[in-house]
Amino acid sequence: MSAALPSSRTRWWALVVLGLTQLMVVLDGTIVAIALPAAQADLSIDDGQRQWVVTAYAVAFSALLLLGGRIADFWGRKRTFMVGMVGFGAASAWGGLAQSGGELIAARGLQGVFAALLAPAALAMVAVLFPSGRDRNIAFAVFGIIAGTGAAFGFLLGGVLTQYADWRWCLLVNLFFVVAGLIGGKFLLLESKAEGDTRYDILGTVLVALGLGALIYGFARAEHGWGEADTIGFLAAGAVLMAVFVWWQGRTSHPLLPLRVVRDRVRGGAFLLQAFVGVVMIGAMLYLTFHFQIVLGMSPVAAGFGNVAMTVVIMATAPISTKLFTTFGPRVVLTVGPLLAAAGLFFLSGITAEGSYWSEVLPGLVVMGLGFSLIFVPLQNLALAGVDPHDAGVASALANASMHVGGSIAVAVFTALYSSSVTDALTQGTDRMPALAGGYGDVLFAAAWVMVLGAVTSFGLIRGPRAGATPPAEAVAVGH
């Protein structure tokens, strides 16, 4: 059943609420990164546990996003959004008051669970509120820029809170977002949900959660050796479970992830590129932040500001990127964008212990900003282009899941790569700081090649001058 869209003014205010929600979910993937050294010392967290403060959030978020998308579709997107907000706020409060490393990691995981409800509900409501035309392109450009800059904003806000308040405020600050989201959601958002078959795929949920969990844990164990039995075992189990999941989605009458959502060439390319972006924004940028604090000796605030250059460039060039997207279509901008991001990462991979931020880091971040501006403007629009209203939530979930799965695997793989690089350098007699800088550089070099792969993917899969730029008006309807 469809209903009239709300007034134009109400829709744009609703976008503000949904954008703040997206900002909270994205920045929470990185805001604790700068606080990690302080939290580690305060709670006596060992190095092995440290990465799980970041990874626990991403794993829970990624594993449950598809289910969260289906809950939003079937139960109601506004209702799911509101419940997710309350739960996310409670988990944030628990994490901010944690008295041990185990509590903090558990709270981060619980944040991920409720973020898996919030994110797909918010993105699906953007698709519902802006069904077609120029307004849709603008709305998704705004949403995409928020998603893209949220990670860097998380580093900045984390630095300010850690240095001038306490690392715990990196979690407690979410309560302000939650209050704003609940008030705005109540008065500005309309309920919408899918009609027809609304049965849940419980087996599919179990398979994808266990499969993703096993894969990410297996990659995390690779730090201790790729040939170790538990590393191979978890990776093999994850691969098998994911293969069974895909097989099951093609057989069940009520799939968690309808394969029609990913079979579309343009959407499939967008989902893959989202994963590659997650590798850089969640995985590689974490190590650049470590370089700022540990090697260059920056304060938390200075380290946070160190990432702002890329964010400023993305926001400043977004109007130009939007115009280029409209003029040349997604294939061109989503090929050139990753290549520019790769060029910036290749430059950054040359960081040294003796170098300065201004000569070895800033130019690379500026070039990366130009590239990511071209990526973020159209990416989420393409991921939801032409999606049936019955599948809006799950398509939104997959767009988010792609980025966070890419980031989760990247954190684990980059940890193994970094550890191996540093160990080899120290064994050869290299001093500690140059060894650390070399390890961070190797991570950034690997991330650069991932973005080259992203450019190849876009060029090969995103066909046509304006393929999928805007879905037909009837593609998404508002239902009650």
Side-chain angles (χ1 to χ4, degrees):
M1 176 180 177
S2 63
L5 290 170
S7 68
S8 177
R9 182 177 180 182
T10 300
R11 285 195 295 157
W12 290 110
W13 276 111
L15 181 66
V16 172
V17 173
L18 297 172
L20 284 174
T21 302
Q22 178 72 355
L23 176 62
M24 178 181 71
V25 170
V26 174
L27 71 81
D28 235 69
T30 57
I31 192 171
V32 299
I34 285 183
L36 269 180
Q40 186 174 8
D42 191 17
L43 301 179
S44 300
I45 300 172
D46 61 37
D47 289 344
Q49 286 182 306
R50 183 179 64 183
Q51 69 163 306
W52 286 101
V53 177
V54 175
T55 305
Y57 176 83
V59 169
F61 187 32
S62 304
L64 296 174
L65 258 172
L66 290 176
L67 177 62
R70 269 305 183 221
I71 291 172
D73 283 335
F74 297 166
W75 193 45
R77 292 161 190 140
K78 177 177 178 178
R79 185 181 300 170
T80 303
F81 174 88
M82 300 296 276
V83 171
M85 270 289 182
V86 173
F88 195 90
S92 299
W94 182 25
L97 301 173
Q99 298 300 307
S100 69
E103 269 192 79
L104 179 58
I105 292 170
R108 291 283 290 163
L110 192 60
Q111 279 185 306
V113 170
F114 285 103
L117 293 176
L118 272 176
L123 188 54
M125 281 191 281
V126 174
V128 166
L129 287 168
F130 299 91
S132 65
R134 181 173 177 271
D135 283 355
R136 179 184 174 95
N137 287 339
I138 294 173
F140 272 101
V142 170
F143 213 72
I145 291 167
I146 290 171
T149 60
F153 183 67
F155 286 126
L156 173 59
L157 184 58
V160 171
L161 293 173
T162 300
Q163 185 162 332
Y164 294 114
D166 188 272
W167 69 266
R168 296 178 181 278
W169 278 101
C170 292
L171 292 154
L172 296 175
V173 70
N174 289 327
L175 299 178
F176 296 102
F177 287 94
V178 167
V179 170
L182 288 172
I183 294 173
K186 178 175 176 58
F187 294 106
L188 295 171
L189 301 179
L190 294 179
E191 186 60 279
S192 66
K193 59 183 177 180
E195 304 295 338
D197 185 3
T198 56
R199 289 176 293 168
Y200 292 100
D201 179 11
I202 302 302
L203 178 57
T205 300
V206 173
L207 286 170
V208 74
L210 292 178
L212 285 175
L215 280 175
I216 293 169
Y217 186 74
F219 280 118
R221 295 297 300 171
E223 181 182 2
H224 304 288
W226 289 99
E228 295 294 320
D230 57 348
T231 301
I232 296 172
F234 276 104
L235 290 176
V240 169
L241 286 166
M242 292 304 295
V244 174
F245 169 73
V246 173
W247 170 82
W248 173 246
Q249 296 310 284
R251 288 183 61 86
T252 181
S253 59
H254 48 283
L256 180 67
L257 174 60
L259 296 182
R260 61 181 175 270
V261 173
V262 294
R263 281 181 180 143
D264 179 87
R265 190 182 191 120
V266 174
R267 278 201 301 275
F271 291 142
L272 282 173
L273 187 54
Q274 286 271 36
F276 298 145
V277 168
V279 167
V280 176
M281 299 303 291
I282 298 174
M285 296 308 288
L286 175 66
Y287 284 88
L288 185 62
T289 302
F290 288 161
H291 178 71
F292 289 163
Q293 293 191 80
I294 298 172
V295 176
L296 299 185
M298 290 183 174
S299 67
V301 169
F305 272 106
N307 285 291
V308 167
M310 182 172 68
T311 305
V312 170
V313 172
I314 291 172
M315 297 182 72
T317 58
I320 299 172
S321 298
T322 303
K323 190 169 292 187
L324 290 173
F325 169 54
T326 304
T327 303
F328 296 105
R331 188 186 188 196
V332 172
V333 298
L334 289 179
T335 300
V336 174
L339 288 176
L340 282 172
L345 285 161
F346 278 127
F347 182 88
L348 286 172
S349 69
I351 54 177
T352 64
E354 301 80 21
S356 74
Y357 171 84
W358 303 105
S359 61
E360 289 190 351
V361 177
L362 182 61
L365 290 178
V366 169
V367 175
M368 282 180 67
L370 293 172
F372 279 118
S373 176
L374 291 173
I375 295 171
F376 291 138
V377 164
L379 192 55
Q380 298 206 38
N381 191 351
L382 291 181
L384 271 73
V387 172
D388 187 278
H390 190 82
D391 299 326
V394 75
S396 304
L398 190 57
N400 279 283
S402 299
M403 182 170 180
H404 283 81
V405 169
S408 299
I409 292 175
V411 169
V413 173
F414 287 162
T415 297
L417 174 62
Y418 162 78
S419 298
S420 175
S421 175
V422 172
T423 299
D424 288 347
L426 292 174
T427 301
Q428 294 169 12
T430 305
D431 289 340
R432 182 171 182 269
M433 288 304 171
L436 295 180
Y440 301 141
D442 287 346
V443 167
L444 294 165
F445 186 77
W449 281 108
V450 170
M451 291 313 299
V452 171
L453 181 59
V456 173
T457 299
S458 296
F459 186 80
L461 293 180
I462 300 178
R463 298 285 184 178
R466 296 172 184 267
T470 306
E474 65 272 15
V476 277
V478 181
H480 287 281

